[in-house]
Amino acid sequence: MQAGDHEAVNAVLATLAPGTELRDGLERIVRGRTGALIVLGNDRTIDEISTGGFELNVDFSATRMRELTKMDGAVVLSSDLSRIVRAATQLTPDPSVETRESGTRHRTAERVARQTGVPVVTVSASMAVIALWMGDQRIVLEEVSVIQSRANQALQTLERYKARLDEVAATLSALEIEDLVTVRDVAAVAQRLEMVHRIREEISHYVLTLGNDGRLVDLQLSELTAGLGNDRELLVRDYAPAHSPAGGPEEVEAVLERVSDLSTTDLLDLGAVAAAMGHPAAADTLDRGVSPWGYRLLSQVPRLPPAIVDRVVLHFDGLQQLMAASFDDLHEIEGIGEVRARAIREGLSRMAETSILDRYV
């Protein structure tokens, strides 16, 4: 699914989330066991395939929609979902549009969604299932209890993965200071960052579909992922072979996209992760030594703007040269005053001391 399509689906799901008036109307239809076909938008294409019924153009309400769906035919809402445009309307989409469904209501819904691009919602009278049709997609709206259970399981998984990510990230920082990093260490952090990112995206989807009932899940998600920020981008800027300090964001996005495209099985393979980051697909690749530019460690210095981080990285030839830089070396960089030069020098020194203590004491 393209990013734009994903955002469009999420926007519609938000209007169907528990707590919204539209979802309330759908739940009323489910409890009444009467089924429904509801078009979430009205434009020229919908007008062209709509025949018969009643033109209403009245304010939307859950109870009105519930009563109008008792009649045969579809209910058409305005594009902003604020009005009921018509009811008991027969939809006549192009019969040549492919459909995988067998029931009349669902065949019509799929064809209308594919032909017009307008979202369509169906309620199955026999199975009490609410489904959203958008383009080629069919999305079943599950009960709140089911989604809540999945969200809680995902939160527990995220907590374990985040703990492991913190471990490998701390190890990488220590190895960076000692200039002992290998591609394996980098791939391990990239792997865990991607795992956490995927679980976070899954939970965010649950929060969206839970609507008002997803507030507690959202709070837990925010707490578990606090501090992650742009860690994925920083890792790529430090270690992707094709990226240089003067490189643009396109290189970073390309690497992140390749890592995101890895299957679940490939993501467990550190060699595949390293290859996605641009490292050679050779037998000894994982054991090769690599050196960072210093983006990750500089990002941990408090109140240091990204523009200043870029300027510092560009001035030095890698993290080791930066670690050896004196206050005067930092102060001579354009835009770095005494306060920032001292903050960088003291911040890196504290990290080095902490790393040694954690690693050897």
Side-chain angles (χ1 to χ4, degrees), residues 5 18 68 70 136 179 211 222 257 276-277 305 309 342 357 359:
D5 296 337
L68 290 171
K70 291 180 180 179
D136 296 333
D179 198 20
S222 298
E257 186 173 344
M277 293 188 70
V309 171
R342 185 172 293 107
L357 289 174
R359 192 166 174 82

Side-chain angles (χ1 to χ4, degrees), residues 236-237 240 242-243 246-258:
V236 172
R237 296 182 75 184
H243 182 74
E250 300 83 9
E251 300 168 354
V252 176
E253 287 300 321
V255 174
L256 291 177
E257 186 173 344
R258 288 199 300 270

Side-chain angles (χ1 to χ4, degrees), residues 91 107 125 148 150 157 162 217 270 279 299 334 343 357:
L91 299 174
R107 289 171 67 86
Q148 188 78 54
R150 291 180 179 175
T157 303
K162 179 60 167 55
V217 175
L270 292 182
H279 294 279
S299 70
E334 183 182 356
L357 289 174

Side-chain angles (χ1 to χ4, degrees), residues 22 38-39 42 54-69 74-88:
L22 180 54
I38 303 166
V39 182
N42 183 48
F54 309 101
E55 293 196 13
L56 301 175
N57 197 26
V58 297
D59 290 339
F60 174 87
S61 72
T63 52
R64 281 176 177 167
M65 186 176 74
R66 161 74 180 96
E67 294 303 319
L68 290 171
T69 55
V75 171
V76 179
L77 306 183
S78 61
S79 297
D80 61 1
L81 308 182
S82 65
R83 303 185 69 78
I84 300 175
V85 178
R86 58 173 66 90

Side-chain angles (χ1 to χ4, degrees), residues 234 237 294-296 298-299 304-314 336:
L234 293 173
R237 296 182 75 184
Y295 287 106
R296 288 182 66 256
L298 282 173
S299 70
L304 200 61
I308 297 299
V309 171
D310 290 340
R311 196 169 296 172
V312 172
V313 170
L314 280 168
I336 307 293

Side-chain angles (χ1 to χ4, degrees), residues 173-193:
S173 295
L175 292 172
E176 286 179 345
I177 291 170
E178 299 180 52
D179 198 20
L180 296 174
V181 180
T182 64
V183 175
R184 185 186 305 277
D185 303 312
V186 177
V189 175
Q191 177 195 65
R192 291 294 165 174
L193 280 169

Side-chain angles (χ1 to χ4, degrees), residues 46-314:
I46 296 298
D47 288 338
E48 290 174 352
I49 62 173
S50 299
T51 59
F54 309 101
E55 293 196 13
L56 301 175
N57 197 26
V58 297
D59 290 339
F60 174 87
S61 72
T63 52
R64 281 176 177 167
M65 186 176 74
R66 161 74 180 96
E67 294 303 319
L68 290 171
T69 55
K70 291 180 180 179
M71 299 184 289
D72 290 335
V75 171
V76 179
L77 306 183
S78 61
S79 297
D80 61 1
L81 308 182
S82 65
R83 303 185 69 78
I84 300 175
V85 178
R86 58 173 66 90
T89 296
Q90 181 181 359
L91 299 174
T92 56
D94 185 351
S96 66
V97 175
E98 183 181 355
T99 175
R100 301 177 296 272
E101 298 298 320
S102 56
T104 302
R105 179 184 294 125
H106 294 87
R107 289 171 67 86
T108 300
E110 184 171 19
R111 281 176 170 154
V112 170
R114 287 189 169 190
Q115 179 179 338
T116 67
V118 177
V120 182
V121 173
T122 58
V123 180
S124 172
S126 59
M127 301 180 66
V129 171
I130 304 172
L132 167 66
W133 305 82
M134 284 192 69
D136 296 333
Q137 299 182 72
R138 176 180 182 268
I139 304 168
V140 175
L141 306 185
E142 298 177 300
E143 295 181 5
V144 171
S145 59
V146 174
I147 303 174
Q148 188 78 54
S149 176
R150 291 180 179 175
N152 289 333
Q153 291 177 4
L155 283 170
Q156 294 174 14
T157 303
L158 177 61
E159 186 174 10
R160 293 194 298 270
Y161 277 40
K162 179 60 167 55
R164 179 56 180 157
L165 169 61
D166 291 342
E167 291 177 9
V168 296
T171 299
L172 179 62
S173 295
L175 292 172
E176 286 179 345
I177 291 170
E178 299 180 52
D179 198 20
L180 296 174
V181 180
T182 64
V183 175
R184 185 186 305 277
D185 303 312
V186 177
V189 175
Q191 177 195 65
R192 291 294 165 174
L193 280 169
E194 180 62 23
M195 287 177 172
V196 168
H197 175 71
R198 292 185 185 187
I199 299 174
R200 179 169 58 180
E201 290 296 303
E202 180 179 341
I203 298 174
S204 296
H205 178 74
Y206 292 145
V207 170
L208 180 72
T209 54
L210 282 169
N212 292 339
D213 296 324
R215 287 173 295 178
L216 290 178
V217 175
D218 193 27
L219 286 173
Q220 294 178 73
L221 176 62
S222 298
E223 182 178 359
L224 285 172
T225 57
L228 277 180
N230 61 339
D231 285 13
R232 295 163 70 231
E233 291 85 350
L234 293 173
L235 186 72
V236 172
R237 296 182 75 184
D238 261 338
Y239 290 105
H243 182 74
S244 66
E250 300 83 9
E251 300 168 354
V252 176
E253 287 300 321
V255 174
L256 291 177
E257 186 173 344
R258 288 199 300 270
V259 175
S260 297
D261 288 341
L262 291 174
S263 66
T264 303
T265 302
D266 288 339
L267 188 59
L268 298 175
D269 181 1
L270 292 182
V273 176
M277 293 188 70
H279 294 279
D284 63 340
T285 291
L286 292 179
D287 296 319
R288 291 180 180 176
V290 288
S291 297
W293 290 106
Y295 287 106
R296 288 182 66 256
L297 289 189
L298 282 173
S299 70
Q300 298 175 39
V301 177
R303 296 180 295 278
L304 200 61
I308 297 299
V309 171
D310 290 340
R311 196 169 296 172
V312 172
V313 170
L314 280 168

